[in-house]
Amino acid sequence: MQARYYTLNEAKAALPIVKALMEQVQEARTEIIRLRPDIWPVLQKAAHNGGNAAAGTVYSQFNKLESGVKGILNMGILVKDIDKGLIDFLSIRDGREVYLCWKHGEDELSFWHDVNEGYGGRQPIDPADF
């Protein structure tokens, strides 16, 4: 997956698709944990690597999770944390790369952070800056 640059307007326009895909991921994650909490750590890593044999007993849920993650990645958007439903859109602010940051459950795309800062470095988006 190649990350692509998103303007603020492009990221906001893509957000409904991202929300639907992340909802799919979260539903599958919840079901996998309910069915087999012991294999969640393996599946979490496998979702980024194309699969794992340990997924046998929860195959359909894993496919649903993997499909959602790949759908987001194929849009050039980074999946930072499956458990939190955290994603980043690569963008430019003041001539430097930053992330527009969204978390599952948030209504809008309202935060950004520097690429070398994580979730804790989120700051409110000022549309004039993007």
Side-chain angles (χ1 to χ4, degrees):
M1 183 282 314
Q2 180 72 23
R4 64 163 274 212
Y5 289 99
Y6 277 83
T7 66
L8 179 57
N9 287 337
E10 290 170 337
K12 285 182 175 187
L15 193 58
I17 296 167
V18 172
K19 283 182 176 183
L21 289 168
M22 186 54 75
E23 184 62 31
Q24 174 182 322
V25 168
Q26 294 303 309
E27 287 173 2
R29 176 189 167 276
T30 298
E31 189 63 8
I32 290 166
I33 291 170
R34 185 186 72 76
L35 293 169
R36 292 288 309 272
D38 56 311
I39 65 169
W40 174 243
V42 173
L43 294 177
Q44 186 177 22
K45 289 179 184 170
H48 291 286
N49 297 328
N52 187 292
T57 59
V58 290
Y59 184 73
S60 66
Q61 293 301 318
F62 177 73
N63 280 340
K64 184 177 171 183
L65 183 140
E66 184 178 43
S67 171
V69 169
K70 284 184 176 180
I72 295 168
L73 294 174
N74 287 338
M75 294 173 70
I77 301 166
L78 304 169
V79 177
K80 291 297 187 104
D81 188 322
I82 292 173
D83 288 329
K84 291 179 183 173
L86 189 60
I87 62 101
D88 285 336
F89 296 86
L90 186 59
S91 190
I92 300 290
R93 179 180 183 269
D94 295 331
R96 69 182 201 281
E97 291 183 341
V98 298
Y99 290 130
L100 302 173
C101 182
W102 178 81
K103 180 181 170 189
H104 181 254
E106 293 177 344
D107 291 330
E108 297 179 16
L109 185 59
S110 302
F111 298 96
W112 71 277
H113 61 82
D114 285 316
V115 294
N116 38 350
E117 291 195 29
Y119 180 80
R122 294 191 340 157
Q123 300 175 46
I125 290 175
D126 179 348
D129 291 338
F130 290 91

